[in-house]
Amino acid sequence: MPDLGPPPGPVSRLRAHRARYGVYLLGCLLFSTGAAFFIRSDLGTDPLDVFALGLLKHVPLTIGIAQSLVAAVCILVWSAWNRRRPVISPFITFFLCGSVIDVLRAVDAAGRVPVPDAARMLIGVALCTYGSALIIMSGTGIRAMDLIAITMTHRWNWPFWVSKGCLELLLLVSGYLLGGPVGVGTLCFLVFVDTLIQPCMWLNHRFFSLRNHGLEERPAPRPATEPTAVRP
């Protein structure tokens, strides 16, 4: 047998996947910037924050801890459903995006853009949508709720936007019943972000030849064939 050499080390793996990591980091940056614009518009929070803020009215937690608990539950559900070990990469994305959002809010980056709050909110929605699409396509550090949505898409043959929308709607309704704030921005986030992520992934593949590592189409099952005759 030919000598295949030693298995690739961390540096070799990094070089092999640097394009995916680049797409991932760009996705995190765009999503974080969009979130900063969305928050600065003060026209409503996203469904996850509606749930977190509603939960805080009944349990002495912080927003970060409440969101982390939601992420942990999603990861445990994904792990049990797919019979795989829990992953920690969504928490890396959570920490990275949260840190960038904190920096952008500290310098009031979104407030320096001279546009009305409604336009600022729409810019935030667009950036969150495209950033989410890039993170999923990278197949790296996919957000915990998106992991569940991808599993629902594969298991039940649902469109991704339906799976994602159902999860976001569940958070929104639960948060609202707990007393969380709901505004026009919340509804725009639910309608536009969840429905436009998949079209953005298609456009990236169509015009930029980006491979969708996170939501690749699974091959259709082969049709049943007639059993071969057994020779006497």
Side-chain angles (χ1 to χ4, degrees), residues 124-138:
V125 167
L127 292 176
C128 284
T129 302
Y130 196 70
S132 295
L134 290 179
I135 293 174
I136 293 173
M137 293 189 75
S138 73

Side-chain angles (χ1 to χ4, degrees), residues 26 99 187 193 203 215 220:
L26 178 59
S99 300
L187 300 179
V193 173
L203 290 173
L215 192 60

